[in-house]
Amino acid sequence: MRDRYIAPAVMLIAGVVMSVINLVNHEEMLTSLERLLVVLICFFIIGKIAAAVIRKFTATKAVDKVPENDMSEKNEEDKENTQID
């Protein structure tokens, strides 16, 4: 759920940087808006890809982790089974 804000954050940071660059270079309004639109779309896509990669990485990390409670319960069951035999 936390990864849903990654794409908009990346897009907005890129938009701020592009706006500052346009202001410093004294670009015309139409030119700066066209560039800003292209940058926002590109970085939104990049942010979506980054969020998907992060989501996939964190999902595999969570699956690889085995809670201690599950292991201790299994060990107790194994001990009980060996005592019965």
Side-chain angles (χ1 to χ4, degrees):
M1 198 62 155
R2 294 175 290 179
D3 59 351
R4 91 177 198 199
Y5 297 114
I6 292 174
V10 169
M11 179 185 73
L12 289 174
I13 291 169
V16 167
V17 170
M18 190 66 207
S19 296
V20 169
I21 290 172
N22 285 332
L23 287 172
V24 169
N25 291 334
H26 303 291
E27 294 290 335
E28 291 183 21
M29 183 66 71
L30 185 60
T31 305
S32 65
L33 288 175
E34 289 171 348
R35 288 180 184 173
L36 182 61
L37 179 64
V38 170
V39 166
L40 289 177
I41 292 170
C42 290
F43 276 91
F44 185 74
I45 294 169
I46 291 169
K48 283 289 192 182
I49 293 169
V53 169
I54 291 170
R55 189 178 309 119
K56 187 172 183 176
F57 179 73
T58 57
T60 58
K61 276 291 205 189
V63 169
D64 290 342
K65 247 184 185 178
V66 176
E68 266 186 48
N69 296 341
D70 291 344
M71 291 301 290
S72 63
E73 290 173 4
K74 186 174 180 177
N75 289 339
E76 289 174 9
E77 290 174 4
D78 290 341
K79 287 178 185 177
E80 291 174 4
N81 290 338
T82 55
Q83 289 174 357
I84 293 173
D85 294 336

